[in-house]
Amino acid sequence: MAVLEIDDLPHEPSVTVADGSLRTLGDLLIARARATPDIAACYQKENGQWQKLTWSGLHQSACAVASGLADLGVEVGDCIAILGPTSTAWTVYDFGGQMAGASTVGIFPQQSAEQIRFLLTHSESKAAFVANDIEMETVLEAAADLPSLKAIVAWTPELEAKWRDRDPRIMGPERFDGEPMSDADVEARQAACDPEGAAILVYTSGTTGPPKGAMISHSNILALAEGIQEIFTFYRDDLVIAFLPMAHVTERCLAFYGRVSAGVPAAYATSIGTVIDELAEIRPTVFGSVPRIFEKVYARVQSEVAKSSPVKQRIFRWADGVARRRLRRRIAGAAPSGLLEFQYNLATKLVFSKIKARFGSRVRVCITGAAPIAGEILEFLWAIDMPILEAYGMTEATVVTHVNRLDSFRLGTVGRVVPMMECRIADDG
C-alpha cells in the first residue's frame, strides 16, 4: 500500500483568501499561490506512488495553459470544455481557462455524441480538452462539421499521436505546457472579466427538454467560498479525497474552489471504484460524498458482523448500543456519565477504531448531499464520532443553500441556511 506522505503542517485554522477583495476565479488562484506557494495543492497517484503539485506549480501550469489558449485565439468571455476524470489535469485545464478569462464548461464522462454535441454547440466552446480514447471517439463524432470548435486537445501525447489523423483540430498537450502567460497579460485578462459574468457553465438536466446551462458567476463562487468559512472551519493540516466528477457543481464549486480558497489539498482517487480501498492510503480528514459511498461502507460493516462469531456479534451490538446512548445524551444537551464515557472509550478501542480505519483513521467530519441518506446510517456515524453533515442546494443557487453545523445539527434535516443566502417557507409549509 502506497501511503500518501503529506506536508507537516500545524493543526490551526486555515485562512481563506476569498475575503471580499477578489474579483475572479483567476484572482483566487493567484492569491492562494502567493499565500502558500510551496504547500501541496493536490496529490495524484502515478506508477503506484503519490505525486504532489504545489499551489505555485498549479498556478504556473494554469498560466501555461492560458498562454496556449491565447495562441488559439481564445478571448475573454469565450468558453472552453473539459472532458475527463477528476484529476490534476482537469484542475489545471480549468484554471488555465480561468487565467485566460474564459468560461469553463465541465462535461460528464461517458455521454453520447448527441449530448456532447449539444453542450459544445450551446456553449460555443472554442476548445475541448479530452482525456482518453473512449471520450475522443465520442467527441470527434459530436464535433463533426462544428465550426465553433477550433481545437480538440488530447491530454497525453500518446492520445494525440493515435488520433491526430482523424481531425486537423486535434493537438497534443505540449502546446499548453510551455512558457506561462505573463503576469501582466493574466492581470489584464482578469481585469477584463465581469465579476458578475459566467465563470463556469454547469449543465443540469431539466424536467423537460435538453439540459439547461446554469451560468454561475465569479461573484457567486467567491461569495460561497467566503461564506462557508463562517460555518465550517478548515485546518491547515486538513486533507480531502476527491473522486466525484468535476463536471458536477458540488465537486467543482464547493469542494474544488472552496478548498483553493482555504488552501486545503486534495488527493485524487484513481477511480470511483477504488475510493473505498484508497481511503486507507490517503487518510483524509474531511470526507464528502453522495450517500451511496456511506451506504456501501455501512452495508459492508453489517455484512462482516453477520459473518463473525456470536461473541463478536454481541460485542458489536453492545458497542453500538453504548455509542447510540451517548449520542442521544449529546443531542439532548446532557453530558455522558463517567461510566458511559468509559464504556464508549472501550467500545472505540474494540470496535469503532477498526471501522474508522476503513476511512484512514483521520476523518474528523463527513459531508453528504444530493440525495437523502438513511437515518440509521446518520445516527451510526455520529455515534462512532464520525460526524456527518447533511447539506442541500441547487445548481442555480451555487451548490449549497443549507447545511448542518458541527455545533448545531439535527439528524435527518439539511440544517440552516448558509450566511449569504435567504430562504422563505411557503404559505403551505
Side-chain angles (χ1 to χ4, degrees):
M1 183 173 66
V3 176
L4 190 155
E5 298 294 334
I6 62 174
D7 292 331
D8 184 17
L9 296 172
H11 182 68
E12 58 187 33
S14 65
V15 179
T16 178
V17 295
D19 58 2
S21 65
L22 307 181
R23 299 178 67 257
T24 67
L25 290 183
D27 290 341
L28 179 68
L29 180 58
I30 293 169
R32 173 46 59 197
R34 287 174 177 169
T36 53
D38 301 323
I39 301 301
C42 54
Y43 300 88
Q44 185 162 324
K45 189 184 283 187
E46 297 177 8
N47 300 319
Q49 299 296 320
W50 292 98
Q51 303 297 322
K52 177 173 76 172
L53 180 67
T54 64
W55 290 111
S56 62
L58 177 57
H59 172 253
Q60 288 297 301
S61 295
C63 288
V65 172
S67 181
L69 291 171
D71 290 343
L72 289 176
V74 172
E75 303 287 349
V76 173
D78 287 342
C79 287
I80 67 164
I82 308 167
L83 175 54
T86 299
S87 60
T88 297
W90 214 111
T91 62
V92 168
Y93 294 139
D94 184 24
F95 264 119
Q98 296 299 330
M99 291 299 181
S103 299
T104 49
V105 183
I107 299 180
F108 282 96
Q110 300 179 349
Q111 296 200 75
S112 69
E114 181 182 9
Q115 290 170 320
I116 292 176
R117 185 175 180 87
F118 172 81
L119 300 180
L120 293 175
T121 302
H122 189 266
S123 64
E124 298 181 346
S125 290
K126 297 292 181 65
F129 291 82
V130 184
N132 55 47
D133 287 309
I134 294 174
E135 307 296 4
M136 183 66 79
E137 180 80 55
T138 310
V139 168
L140 288 177
E141 181 181 346
D145 304 318
L146 190 62
S148 56
L149 190 66
K150 306 300 182 185
I152 301 171
V153 184
W155 285 24
T156 66
E158 295 78 13
L159 187 64
E160 185 268 339
K162 183 175 180 179
W163 292 90
R164 62 187 168 207
D165 294 335
R166 287 279 298 272
D167 193 304
R169 293 172 291 182
I170 294 176
M171 59 187 65
E174 68 279 354
R175 293 189 58 170
F176 301 89
D177 60 10
E179 189 68 24
M181 180 178 284
S182 70
D183 291 346
D185 287 344
V186 169
E187 289 173 6
R189 287 185 175 242
Q190 298 308 301
C193 289
D194 177 6
E196 303 302 327
I200 65 174
L201 295 182
V202 178
Y203 283 88
T204 180
S205 58
T207 54
T208 60
K212 310 301 189 291
M215 299 181 292
I216 302 181
S217 73
H218 297 275
S219 295
N220 291 150
I221 298 168
L222 293 172
L224 174 68
E226 186 176 359
I228 286 297
Q229 285 284 97
E230 296 181 29
I231 59 175
F232 182 81
T233 301
F234 281 105
Y235 291 87
R236 292 182 61 192
D237 59 347
D238 271 335
L239 175 68
V240 305
I241 179 173
F243 59 94
L244 297 175
M246 287 291 289
H248 194 281
V249 68
T250 302
E251 186 65 34
R252 188 87 165 280
C253 293
L254 188 62
F256 178 44
Y257 299 135
R259 70 177 182 80
V260 174
S261 177
V264 174
Y268 295 113
T270 304
S271 69
I272 290 180
T274 65
V275 170
I276 293 177
D277 292 331
E278 288 183 339
L279 279 169
E281 296 182 29
I282 295 169
R283 299 175 299 133
T285 59
V286 180
F287 181 66
S289 173
V290 293
R292 182 59 182 150
I293 294 292
F294 298 108
E295 292 165 357
K296 289 176 69 174
V297 172
Y298 184 72
R300 186 179 293 185
V301 168
Q302 296 298 322
S303 175
E304 291 179 2
V305 170
K307 295 175 184 177
S308 64
S309 69
V311 171
K312 289 185 177 180
Q313 289 183 33
R314 286 197 297 271
I315 292 173
F316 179 84
R317 287 195 296 269
W318 168 80
D320 187 47
V322 166
R324 291 179 193 268
R325 289 198 302 274
R326 180 176 179 267
L327 174 63
R328 285 192 285 271
R329 289 185 64 86
R330 179 180 174 186
I331 292 174
S337 66
L339 175 60
L340 184 58
E341 195 66 13
F342 171 79
Q343 291 174 327
Y344 176 76
N345 290 334
L346 180 59
T348 296
K349 183 176 181 179
L350 294 175
V351 178
F352 304 142
S353 61
K354 299 177 178 63
I355 297 172
K356 293 180 181 181
R358 295 180 182 276
F359 292 86
S361 300
R362 299 201 314 145
V363 172
R364 64 179 182 83
V365 63
C366 302
I367 303 169
T368 192
I373 185 170
E376 170 73 12
I377 299 174
L378 283 175
E379 187 175 273
F380 178 75
L381 290 173
W382 272 95
I384 69 171
D385 202 24
M386 281 185 57
I388 179 168
L389 305 178
E390 284 191 278
Y392 166 81
M394 296 177 290
T395 300
E396 297 84 352
T398 319
V399 189
V400 61
T401 59
H402 298 72
V403 64
N404 272 287
R405 278 76 157 163
L406 287 170
D407 59 353
S408 176
F409 65 92
R410 183 177 297 172
L411 300 187
T413 77
V414 295
R416 293 182 289 140
V417 68
V418 298
M420 76 293 292
M421 299 286 182
E422 295 179 355
C423 69
R424 179 171 62 86
I425 299 175
D427 293 337
D428 62 1

